[in-house]
């Protein structure tokens, strides 16, 4: 009977270890830790974001891999184009260089869709009448290496626009 | 002690049996299709009816028991035409068991996702970028390449020019979106024009969302264009031709468009301005599509009245037909339990000649071809309707004329 127990343990322990090794969280700890910086870390929604978009700088990723930058939605927040239950939205993509560093800026369409939540006219023009800008708050930002599965996290603070001087 | 050990072993056995039972009987056999679509963004007007056609087709297949008992799960993601959202969505679903095909709605999305598709040994389908034919990989296009269809338009232009009693070759202008899609037609298309002896004017590009196109049209008209090819996804070509009509250009210059030219969407608003416009399409348009019983019956079954019918619905059905044919072949080759995305990729290369019920030409996918079909049909807007003016004809291979 003892032998059976030992055999069982021999089967269960490697399985658990294999599972743990394939776990993304542990995997991201192997090698240099991935880091992410959001520039600027704090902003307000304005047309200036089209000229100077929110940008993401990262390091510690696998060389030459594609990076997906996502904004995590606070619980209960709804966003145009997202189904109920979707917890994040891709807002930028980048490619790591040989050293595993990357820089990615939000494209105008991403700023329009996910920050301003505009509508679109049949003329392919953004419709600001239908816009529902995301509320001020601190939004968690994740950057994920699509080969290494490494994840780096940072945050973006959206503040209310400054009050116009009378 | 012995009794306890037996109970322990029985419990482990019961859990194992339970898990096996759950995985084999409680969950139906299922494969997935991921659409990286645009349902509320700039090209929603065409993507929504196309995915409606696909979804309805899949519903019908599933209601009949699926493909050899395997049901198809449709996953539609609204990317709002944004590459970053599409890549993120693909990342989320890439490990879905038996996700066999990804449809990327734009050239930009297709190019970004292609790298991941290669890595995951999967396949994707994309609109019409000739580069995917020039460099054979795991990305398949829906029909002939953009440049092939453009070359077919140039052939028609030459025929029309001669039929009108002219000698030599005409002067052709081109205007389209200032993006990779807008330029793609010329990567091989321009070389084809040279081959025909056509004088090709410097192309005009404008940003998507341009309200008026007068400047570009006037420049082409002044340069002596006899024909102007208007690119962009409907309603853009409709609006370009609306402007050409307002300028009086359509009286002297023949307007042509590619396979995203005016559909029911544009005709419904600017029928008068569009009168006489020529459309080169790889899928059935206008009454051709409305009168295709295979297409119309499915629409009526799921959507009711034909009043809001758009012909891209048939194109969506065609994606479904290809998927079902590929799945049938893949299941035959390896069975459900061993089925991997790579098997679907192999299967897609073997469904050459698949009949699409007249919606488009027969499937041309093969180990050396990524073209969904080779044929196009030329249509003309007549009395507010899109009517065919040719039969299906093979589009020239313009991809091979360009160095990619």
């Amino acid at each position: 009977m003892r032998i059976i127990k030992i055999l069982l343990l021999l089967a269960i322990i490697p399985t658990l270890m294999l599972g743990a090794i394939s776990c993304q969280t542990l995997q991201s700890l192997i090698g240099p830790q991935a880091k992410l910086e959001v520039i600027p870390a704090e902003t307000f929604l304005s047309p200036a974001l089209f000229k100077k978009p929110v940008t993401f700088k990262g390091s510690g990723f696998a060389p030459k891999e594609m990076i997906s930058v996502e904004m995590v939605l606070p619980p209960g927040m709804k966003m145009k184009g997202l189904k109920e239950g979707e917890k994040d939205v891709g807002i930028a993509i980048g490619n790591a260089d040989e050293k595993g560093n990357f820089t990615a800026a939000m494209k105008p369409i991403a700023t329009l869709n996910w920050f301003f939540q505009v509508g679109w006219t049949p003329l392919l023009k953004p419709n600001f009448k239908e816009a529902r800008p995301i509320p001020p708050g601190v939004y968690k930002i994740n950057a994920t290496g699509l080969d290494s599965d490494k994840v780096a996290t940072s945050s973006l603070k959206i503040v209310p626009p400054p009050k116009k001087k009378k | 002690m012995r009794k306890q050990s037996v109970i322990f072993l029985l419990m482990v056995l019961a859990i194992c049996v339970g898990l096996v039972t759950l995985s084999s009987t409680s969950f139906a056999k299922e494969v997935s299709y991921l659409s990286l679509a645009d349902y509320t963004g700039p090209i929603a007007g065409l993507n929504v009816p196309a995915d409606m056609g696909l979804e309805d087709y899949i519903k019908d297949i599933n209601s009949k028991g699926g493909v050899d008992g395997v049901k198809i799960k449709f996953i539609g993601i609204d990317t709002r035409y944004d590459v970053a959202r599409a890549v993120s969505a693909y990342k989320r679903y890439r490990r879905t068991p038996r996700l066999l095909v990804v449809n990327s709605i734009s050239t930009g999305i297709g190019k970004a996702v292609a790298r991941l598709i290669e890595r995951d040994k999967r396949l994707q389908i994309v609109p019409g970028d000739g580069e995917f034919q020039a460099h054979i990989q795991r990305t398949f296009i829906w029909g002939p390449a953009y440049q092939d269809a453009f070359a077919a338009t140039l052939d028609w232009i030459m025929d029309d020019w001669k039929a009108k009693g002219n000698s030599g070759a005409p002067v052709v202008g081109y205007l389209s979106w200032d993006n990779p899609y807008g330029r793609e037609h010329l990567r091989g298309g321009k070389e084809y024009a040279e081959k025909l002896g056509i004088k090709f004017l410097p192309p005009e590009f404008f940003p998507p969302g341009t309200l008026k196109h007068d400047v570009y049209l006037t420049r082409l008209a002044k340069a002596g264009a006899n024909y102007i090819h208007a690119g962009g996804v409907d309603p853009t070509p409709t609006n370009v031709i609306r402007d050409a009509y307002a300028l009086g250009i359509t009286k002297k210059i023949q307007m042509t468009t590619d396979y995203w030219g005016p559909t029911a969407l544009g005709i419904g608003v600017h029928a008068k301005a569009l009168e006489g416009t020529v459309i080169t399409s790889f899928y059935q348009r206008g009454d051709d599509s409305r009168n295709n019983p295979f297409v119309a019956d499915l629409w009526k079954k799921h959507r009711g009245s034909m009043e809001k019918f758009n012909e891209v619905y048939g194109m969506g059905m065609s994606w479904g037909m290809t998927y079902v044919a590929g799945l049938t072949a893949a299941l035959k080759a390896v069975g459900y339990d061993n089925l991997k995305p790579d098997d679907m990729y192999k299967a897609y290369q073997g469904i050459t000649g698949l009949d699409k019920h007249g919606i488009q030409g027969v499937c041309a996918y093969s180990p050396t071809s990524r073209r969904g079909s080779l044929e196009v049909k030329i249509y003309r807007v007549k009395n507010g309707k899109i009517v065919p003016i040719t039969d299906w004809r093979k589009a020239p291979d313009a991809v091979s004329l360009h160095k990619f």
Side-chain angles (χ1 to χ4, degrees):
Chain A
M1 217 55 215
R2 204 170 189 178
I3 294 168
I4 295 172
K5 276 184 180 174
I6 291 166
L7 283 174
L8 264 172
L9 281 174
L10 282 174
I12 291 167
I13 290 168
T15 312
L16 288 172
M17 282 176 71
L18 266 174
I21 287 166
S22 62
C23 172
Q24 280 186 18
T25 318
L26 279 183
Q27 218 173 43
S28 64
L29 295 175
I30 300 166
Q33 202 178 340
K35 288 178 183 167
L36 176 68
E37 186 188 357
V38 181
I39 305 163
E42 183 178 313
T43 191
F44 60 90
L45 301 187
S46 79
L49 289 177
F50 299 113
K51 283 185 180 170
K52 206 173 175 189
V54 173
T55 302
F56 309 95
K57 269 190 174 181
S59 61
F61 290 91
K64 301 280 182 188
E65 73 173 328
M66 191 186 275
I67 316 286
S68 174
V69 181
E70 289 154 342
M71 180 169 75
V72 179
L73 305 185
M77 182 174 162
K78 286 183 180 173
M79 183 162 270
K80 269 185 192 172
L82 269 68
K83 287 179 197 159
E84 217 164 300
E86 284 198 80
K87 292 172 185 161
D88 52 44
V89 61
I91 54 174
I93 51 168
N95 289 300
D97 61 16
E98 291 87 351
K99 292 176 181 170
N101 303 325
F102 84 95
T103 303
M106 283 183 74
K107 300 273 183 210
I109 194 165
T111 304
L112 288 165
N113 279 337
W114 318 121
F115 280 3
F116 288 97
Q117 295 197 80
V118 298
W120 289 90
T121 72
L123 276 167
L124 313 179
K125 275 278 196 197
N127 182 357
F128 280 92
K129 282 182 188 166
E130 289 179 15
R132 284 201 323 248
I134 56 169
V138 178
Y139 292 86
K140 186 179 170 187
I141 307 291
N142 288 334
T144 308
L146 298 180
D147 292 344
S148 67
D149 282 340
K150 283 186 173 183
V151 182
T153 299
S154 188
S155 63
L156 170 67
K157 189 176 183 184
I158 303 281
V159 294
K163 283 177 185 169
K164 284 176 186 171
K165 287 176 187 171
K166 286 179 183 174
Chain B
M1 192 68 189
R2 191 184 165 86
K3 198 179 170 185
Q4 279 178 335
S5 298
V6 170
I7 291 169
F8 172 71
L9 276 175
L10 281 173
M11 279 171 69
V12 171
L13 197 70
I15 290 166
C16 291
V17 169
L19 284 173
V20 169
T21 314
L22 265 176
S23 63
S24 60
T25 57
S26 297
F27 299 109
K29 288 181 178 179
E30 190 179 77
V31 291
S32 297
Y33 176 107
L34 175 64
S35 177
L36 298 174
D38 177 7
Y39 301 140
T40 59
I43 63 157
L46 289 192
N47 195 173
V48 169
D51 267 9
M52 278 159 63
L54 172 72
E55 265 198 277
D56 291 350
Y57 186 79
I58 288 175
K59 269 183 210 162
D60 248 35
I61 295 289
N62 285 344
S63 71
K64 291 169 190 160
V67 179
D68 293 333
V70 179
K71 298 277 177 79
I72 304 164
K73 184 182 178 186
F74 172 83
I75 306 167
I77 294 292
D78 185 6
T79 68
R80 307 198 85 203
Y81 211 54
D82 181 15
V83 176
R85 158 84 163 144
V87 168
S88 159
Y90 179 70
K91 173 191 145 245
R92 190 184 307 157
Y93 288 101
R94 69 195 289 200
R95 292 189 175 98
T96 303
R98 299 185 183 86
L99 169 62
L100 303 180
V101 171
V102 176
N103 189 0
S104 293
I105 198 61
S106 78
T107 301
I109 292 174
K111 286 190 176 185
V113 172
R115 250 175 80 181
L116 305 169
I117 291 286
E118 294 299 322
R119 193 176 186 273
D120 296 345
K121 296 192 184 332
R122 189 166 275 128
L123 82 89
Q124 72 164 336
I125 56 172
V126 299
D129 198 301
E131 195 172 331
F132 295 117
Q133 172 60 38
H135 303 296
I136 297 273
Q137 287 190 313
R138 291 170 179 268
T139 297
F140 296 71
I141 55 179
W142 301 339
Y146 286 132
Q147 39 276 77
D148 299 343
F150 182 54
T153 307
L154 294 173
D155 275 345
W156 178 84
I157 285 174
M158 285 299 282
D159 291 346
D160 184 63
W161 180 251
K162 283 172 188 164
K164 284 174 179 162
N166 298 304
S167 60
V171 180
V172 175
Y174 177 94
L175 78 162
S176 190
W177 282 346
D178 188 7
N179 66 6
Y181 151 81
R183 289 190 177 79
E184 188 60 26
H185 300 64
L186 306 183
R187 301 208 294 172
K190 205 173 165 189
E191 290 87 337
Y192 195 77
E194 281 165 21
K195 206 172 138 185
L196 294 180
I198 285 172
K199 188 187 172 193
F200 198 70
L201 296 173
E204 299 280 350
F205 295 105
F206 57 88
T210 301
L211 292 172
K212 292 288 275 178
H213 310 85
D214 296 12
V215 176
Y216 316 102
L217 287 162
T218 307
R219 206 150 43 211
L220 291 171
K222 278 186 179 168
N226 305 114
Y227 296 79
I228 294 178
H229 190 79
V233 177
D234 199 32
T236 291
T238 293
N239 294 330
V240 170
I241 297 164
R242 170 206 65 196
D243 294 344
Y245 176 77
L247 289 167
I249 282 175
T250 52
K251 283 179 193 161
K252 294 174 284 178
I253 299 172
Q254 171 67 54
M255 301 299 294
T256 63
T257 67
D258 72 15
Y259 44 72
W260 307 131
T263 64
L265 194 71
I267 304 274
V269 191
H270 295 293
K272 202 175 168 189
L274 289 168
E275 191 68 14
T277 297
V278 165
I279 306 160
T280 302
S281 183
F282 73 83
Y283 58 96
Q284 282 184 320
R285 310 297 288 261
D287 283 353
D288 252 8
S289 184
R290 297 176 80 90
N291 296 332
N292 182 330
F294 190 68
V295 178
D297 287 353
L298 194 75
W299 173 278
K300 285 176 194 161
K301 184 177 170 185
H302 293 275
R303 310 283 166 182
S305 157
M306 292 291 282
E307 199 185 334
K308 288 185 177 170
F309 177 81
N310 185 299
E311 51 259 64
V312 289
Y313 181 83
M315 190 183 64
M317 289 174 66
S318 175
W319 296 333
M321 278 179 244
T322 314
Y323 186 93
V324 167
L327 179 59
T328 307
L331 287 171
K332 198 176 170 190
V334 299
Y336 178 76
D337 291 335
N338 297 320
L339 184 64
K340 292 185 183 67
D342 193 41
D343 299 309
M344 190 67 150
Y345 165 66
K346 287 172 188 157
Y348 260 50
Q349 295 173 80
I351 53 171
T352 326
L354 172 74
D355 178 53
K356 302 283 188 78
H357 292 265
I359 295 170
Q360 70 180 94
V362 297
C363 182
Y365 294 155
S366 80
T368 57
S369 169
R370 294 295 176 264
R371 293 177 170 103
S373 55
L374 301 177
E375 293 80 17
V376 292
K377 209 172 192 180
I378 316 284
Y379 290 86
R380 176 168 254 156
V381 180
K382 273 186 189 170
N383 303 319
K385 287 187 170 186
I386 300 173
V387 296
I389 52 172
T390 71
D391 206 342
W392 291 108
R393 45 167 71 178
K394 194 177 168 188
D397 173 9
V399 173
S400 63
L401 300 176
H402 187 77
K403 277 189 182 176
F404 287 87

